[in-house]
Amino acid sequence: MGQPGLNRRQLLAGIGGLTVAGSFGFAALGTGADALASSASTRVRYWNLFSGGDGANMIAMLDSFRKEHPDIAVKDSTLQWGNPFYTKLAMAAAGDRAPELGVMHMGRVTGFSPGRLLDPWDVNLLAKYGVREADFNPALWKRGVIDGKLYALPLDIHVQLCFYRKDVLKKADLLGDDGRIVPVTSTTEWFDVLKKAKAVQKKGLQTIGLWTNDQNFQWWFFVAFYTQLGGQWFNDSNTEVLFDADKATQVLEFLRQHVTDGYVIPGAPTGEQFINGAPFTWEGNWSVPVFSGAKLDYGATPLPAVFGKQATHAESHAFVLPHQAGRGGATNDGAHQLAAYVVQHAQQWAAGGHIPAYTPTLSTAAYKKLTPQNEYASAMDHQATEPKVWFAGSTGVLAQDLGPVVVSSTMGSAKPAAVAQTMKKHLTKLLASKNPMDGKTAAQGGAVA
Amino acid sequence: MTTSAQTVIAPARARTATATATVRRKQGFQHGGWFVAPFLGLFAVFVIWPLLRGLYLSFTDANISGAGASFIGLDNYREALHDSAMWDALGHSAYFTLLVVPCITVLAFLLAMLAHHIERGKWLWRLCFFAPFLLPSTVAGNMWQWLFTQGIGLFNETFGLQTPWLTDKSYAMLAIVITTLWWTVGFSFLLYLAALQGIPDHLYEAAKLDGANAWHRMVHITLPMLRNITGLVIALQVLASLQLFDQAVVMMDFSPGPELSTRSFVQYTLEQGFTSYRVGYASAMSIIFFVIIAVVALARMWLLRNREEGGR
């Protein structure tokens, strides 16, 4: 069996060789195609976490940037939202394979090892491209400043909103002369509103979608109402827990009452029921395109000020510079230019429901015309945010530890007062624990601007 | 057809038997060695090295950025032993295993009996029972997430229920168990089917002649003949179920489930490593899990050996 075997081997070797050569060829073609696609001399790689409507809006903004700046090739990559994104970004920065530009939630920046995994912005370079501190809400800008340096350039704030159906509320006589929901100033008033709405709503639906089982939403609602009560987390030097268990209990009882009074069907889909006729749903502002697309007659306000003071949970998308050992030069310049451009041209972004961080955009007539955006744009001035510590931020350790505990109270498997004590215990433990990135506690972190 | 080893050895017939054996061993090693070398290489790079590296990391406070780790001895292990969240997660994995293993063993056996005995459309039965096993976990998880969704899911619609399968802690794990049964039963089904086909017909014929009815044949022939394969199915399922992760994570939208009720040991380890960035601590937990799995596997071997010895 000499010859045929030999031939077969030769054939196999040939195929193998061709495959390998082919894959190299394609790989070469890939990089070649990149280069061919634009005549740009500078390439800016940009990682983001925007999918769905946000993704489409971001791509539209990038496309207009490309058109205006043919000298910069923007290579954008959209990665899975949440922890997978942060893991990839951290490992890329740690392995010196980081892109020139990235996006993060503002609350996560403190824990993302500024100085090691993130590089600070060159504010002079930003100013050259038209973005200055004065153009931002001061509280928002400060959240991105760590140890006196700007690490996160805010693009927007996104908030939890109270969406309401005008058609249903009109029947219940709950709309004011301006066609908007009557303002609420206490928990009693709020449950009164729910009662009236329930009386006229479609049967078989819940009155309000409250994400009772979702640890993220329940945590965000908790942060909002706890802030309304003036509740604090830690002292200024992050050495002492100031969490007020009594105030927390009040908030937890308020959330729980929606279930016990029968205004919520636990586990029921929130957005779908709202589209089908449920009078209320509490959702993030990113639901605006969905409800507008469904052609509903609806409005959206910040979460009701049931404890007297306005405050609604807010997070921010912000541009960051993932750490590169040799950051600088034309690519770094391009990253600054691109971020500044997107921040300044966020009108498109605002259509997706987000409140633009750049105040000149916020005050344009075009933005003020957007509904229901103009009804909740004021949320910029009363943001309820997580404390500025390494374990906070969107889907961070704090939310993962406390979210499920809040859910257990809202769902009724634990008593609000006991849950408030558990939360305090968690906060005490977290404050004492060391940031795995730099081995410092929140008190030693120097994260306060 | 002669093998190459024999061809080489042929001229050396005059040598002593010992010498021939030595050559054979040498030749065998050379040829065999080359064949297993790629596997050994990959095994060393992707299993042995990470295992040793993980063991080392478990004694440090390493973080995800890889920089600034220092040796902290047994601190991670000490902390893990007092970490109630870790014990809860281990409990969830164990609970899942307790639910899945008996169900899958019985179900696989019943399906194999069905496919073995039904004559018409045999291939269709086999395909139906085995096909789900070929799906990636993300596909299976996403499909069943839809089926279980409250309000619009096929599962509730079909049975006229309003059960919050995925959002209530009393049902979430059950939903994952049902998905897993559908998704993975095909593998055990195939093992049983092969074993059933291996039972000689003459045993049944002889029993029939002796007047044994179907029940007697099942209890006295089929089940004893399948004892080894049942042991294998149970062992493989226990080891696989303890490692619960992907389908649960997909079905719960990458969350630890309602009130953390579906957070498995593997998921908690991953959270510690990649959400909390505590690579050292996560490594310690991986090692603890490795020991647990190894103990289960060794216990199974020990039980089986005792049974075999007892049978002699």
Side-chain angles (χ1 to χ4, degrees):
Chain A
M1 270 173 53
Q3 205 57 19
L6 203 66
N7 271 350
R8 196 178 57 202
R9 258 181 225 155
Q10 279 174 334
L11 184 70
L12 285 173
I15 292 172
L18 279 175
T19 313
V20 173
S23 54
F24 281 127
F26 277 116
L29 199 66
T31 48
D34 260 2
L36 282 176
S38 93
S39 55
S41 50
T42 308
R43 190 176 73 150
V44 175
R45 289 166 301 170
Y46 163 42
W47 285 13
N48 65 71
L49 36 66
F50 302 121
S51 55
D54 279 353
N57 282 335
M58 178 53 74
I59 286 169
M61 287 153 73
L62 294 180
D63 282 345
S64 39
F65 177 82
R66 287 183 181 113
K67 219 178 259 175
E68 288 180 36
H69 302 89
D71 53 321
I72 299 175
V74 180
K75 186 162 171 48
D76 58 314
S77 309
T78 302
L79 307 168
Q80 162 91 37
W81 177 81
N83 282 319
F85 178 78
Y86 290 115
T87 304
K88 289 190 187 89
L89 198 62
M91 295 185 93
D96 203 23
R97 309 273 299 164
E100 281 72 38
L101 185 65
V103 160
M104 276 181 73
H105 287 96
M106 195 70 111
R108 289 291 288 261
V109 172
T110 313
F112 216 72
S113 203
R116 192 135 61 88
L117 294 185
L118 295 177
D119 292 332
W121 286 94
D122 181 341
V123 283
N124 295 325
L125 204 49
L126 284 176
K128 180 183 153 194
Y129 294 116
V131 168
R132 285 165 205 86
E133 182 178 350
D135 297 327
F136 293 84
N137 176 300
L140 186 58
W141 182 270
K142 264 194 184 155
R143 288 188 70 204
V145 176
I146 308 220
D147 285 341
K149 289 180 194 152
L150 181 73
Y151 279 95
L153 176 67
L155 168 64
D156 64 34
I157 74 161
H158 45 275
V159 291
Q160 304 308 319
L161 296 174
C162 170
F163 289 90
Y164 58 93
R165 300 262 317 211
K166 291 188 177 177
D167 47 349
V168 185
L169 264 60
K170 198 173 182 181
K171 274 194 244 165
D173 197 23
L174 287 169
L175 291 185
D177 295 336
D178 56 355
R180 291 179 176 181
I181 186 175
V182 291
V184 169
T185 54
S186 70
T187 53
T188 325
E189 273 178 44
W190 171 248
F191 283 111
D192 212 35
V193 163
L194 288 181
K195 197 175 167 187
K196 283 182 184 159
K198 192 178 186 175
V200 299
Q201 74 173 78
K202 223 193 266 180
K203 298 284 168 254
L205 292 176
Q206 60 190 356
T207 308
I208 180 167
L210 207 62
W211 289 100
T212 43
N213 289 304
D214 188 288
Q215 62 174 68
N216 284 320
F217 275 95
Q218 285 297 306
W219 166 240
W220 294 334
F221 297 151
F222 180 87
V223 171
F225 293 112
Y226 183 67
T227 308
Q228 286 192 6
L229 274 171
Q232 289 174 285
W233 306 95
F234 312 116
N235 63 350
D236 288 343
S237 52
N238 286 327
T239 47
E240 204 184 321
V241 178
L242 297 183
F243 186 73
D244 188 325
D246 291 336
K247 286 178 177 162
T249 308
Q250 249 179 291
V251 175
L252 294 167
E253 279 170 348
F254 168 69
L255 290 172
R256 170 83 185 130
Q257 198 181 336
H258 290 85
V259 181
T260 49
D261 285 3
Y263 295 120
V264 183
I265 303 174
T270 54
E272 289 91 330
Q273 290 234 352
F274 185 67
I275 290 172
N276 289 340
F280 291 100
T281 190
W282 286 358
E283 281 272 3
N285 58 233
W286 50 86
S287 294
V288 164
V290 180
F291 299 148
S292 295
K295 304 227 178 316
L296 303 182
D297 182 16
Y298 77 102
T301 67
L303 295 180
V306 292
F307 293 113
K309 189 178 123 186
Q310 279 277 10
T312 201
H313 174 263
E315 246 296 8
S316 276
H317 294 122
F319 285 113
V320 291
L321 301 172
H323 175 64
Q324 293 182 333
R327 183 171 279 286
T331 53
N332 186 46
D333 197 291
H336 280 71
Q337 198 174 352
L338 174 61
Y341 179 91
V342 175
V343 166
Q344 290 173 88
H345 293 78
Q347 177 68 23
Q348 174 108 26
W349 195 241
H354 303 299
I355 306 172
Y358 188 64
T359 42
T361 307
L362 199 61
S363 51
T364 56
Y367 181 75
K368 285 181 177 162
K369 246 189 261 167
L370 287 177
T371 54
Q373 282 87 333
N374 52 16
E375 198 178 340
Y376 62 78
S378 61
M380 180 69 88
D381 300 321
H382 47 76
Q383 304 176 44
T385 57
E386 293 180 25
K388 194 172 176 177
V389 282
W390 69 265
F391 45 80
S394 178
T395 64
V397 180
L398 185 61
Q400 282 210 345
D401 275 16
L402 296 188
V405 187
V406 177
V407 169
S408 69
S409 161
T410 307
M411 291 299 291
S413 52
K415 294 258 179 294
V419 165
Q421 291 301 338
T422 310
M423 292 175 84
K424 190 161 188 169
K425 251 182 249 166
H426 273 287
L427 285 164
T428 309
K429 192 179 154 209
L430 281 173
L431 193 68
S433 60
K434 287 181 176 172
N435 181 351
M437 291 292 200
D438 59 13
K440 292 177 185 168
T441 62
Q444 302 161 325
V448 182
Chain B
M1 191 116 158
T2 51
T3 65
S4 56
Q6 281 169 322
T7 319
V8 175
I9 289 163
R13 241 176 238 161
R15 290 184 196 166
T16 62
T18 326
T20 312
T22 313
V23 173
R24 261 181 214 269
R25 257 205 305 277
K26 206 172 160 190
Q27 292 289 346
F29 174 77
Q30 273 181 2
H31 287 259
W34 281 114
F35 274 113
V36 295
F39 169 76
L40 284 181
L42 291 173
F43 189 72
V45 172
F46 290 106
V47 179
I48 303 294
W49 168 241
L51 192 69
L52 293 175
R53 176 90 185 137
L55 186 64
Y56 166 73
L57 286 174
S58 73
F59 299 117
T60 70
D61 60 358
N63 62 59
I64 204 169
S65 78
S70 50
F71 192 81
I72 55 166
L74 289 171
D75 282 5
N76 284 329
Y77 291 94
R78 234 172 265 136
E79 186 184 339
L81 290 178
H82 296 100
D83 183 353
S84 59
M86 186 197 81
W87 290 110
D88 284 348
L90 185 61
H92 297 150
S93 295
Y95 176 57
F96 172 81
T97 306
L98 279 178
L99 289 178
V100 163
V101 175
C103 292
I104 223 163
T105 311
V106 173
L107 198 63
F109 171 70
L110 292 178
L111 294 180
M113 288 291 280
L114 197 68
H116 186 58
H117 287 291
I118 285 180
E119 287 303 323
R120 275 170 70 95
K122 209 168 209 172
W123 65 272
L124 184 68
W125 294 101
R126 291 178 188 185
L127 180 72
C128 288
F129 298 151
F130 185 68
F133 184 69
L134 299 173
L135 294 176
S137 53
T138 42
V139 176
N142 271 313
M143 263 172 65
W144 282 80
Q145 189 192 36
W146 270 96
L147 297 180
F148 277 124
T149 300
Q150 195 186 359
I152 52 170
L154 189 71
F155 209 84
N156 277 352
E157 291 290 309
T158 309
F159 299 105
L161 303 170
Q162 264 307 322
T163 313
W165 288 101
L166 302 174
T167 52
D168 191 306
K169 66 173 179 176
S170 342
Y171 304 103
M173 189 58 98
L174 204 59
I176 296 171
V177 168
I178 293 171
T179 304
T180 308
L181 289 179
W182 175 84
W183 175 42
T184 62
V185 75
F187 180 70
S188 305
F189 157 78
L190 212 63
L191 289 179
Y192 267 123
L193 189 65
L196 277 176
Q197 285 166 347
I199 301 177
D201 283 342
H202 64 78
L203 288 181
Y204 290 109
E205 281 160 23
K208 262 189 209 165
L209 286 176
D210 288 342
N213 62 23
W215 173 250
H216 286 135
R217 293 199 295 274
M218 160 93 101
V219 174
H220 296 293
I221 301 175
T222 314
L223 289 181
M225 292 297 281
L226 291 179
R227 208 169 64 182
N228 277 348
I229 214 75
T230 303
L232 181 70
V233 165
I234 291 176
L236 291 177
Q237 284 304 331
V238 167
L239 295 180
S241 304
L242 280 174
Q243 297 170 57
L244 165 69
F245 175 66
D246 37 3
Q247 69 270 43
V249 167
V250 170
M251 288 176 74
M252 296 300 149
D253 283 330
F254 296 87
S255 82
E259 296 177 52
L260 307 179
S261 59
T262 64
R263 178 153 79 182
S264 64
F265 195 95
V266 180
Q267 190 173 357
Y268 185 61
T269 306
L270 185 94
E271 281 174 18
Q272 287 301 318
F274 292 107
T275 306
S276 304
Y277 304 139
R278 301 186 64 195
V279 173
Y281 189 54
S283 300
M285 268 190 304
S286 306
I287 297 293
I288 291 173
F289 198 53
F290 175 79
V291 170
I292 292 171
I293 295 271
V295 165
V296 171
L298 287 174
R300 186 243 164 198
M301 272 171 59
W302 183 75
L303 280 174
L304 214 69
R305 201 190 55 197
N306 273 4
R307 202 202 291 168
E308 274 168 9
E309 278 172 359
R312 260 176 222 157

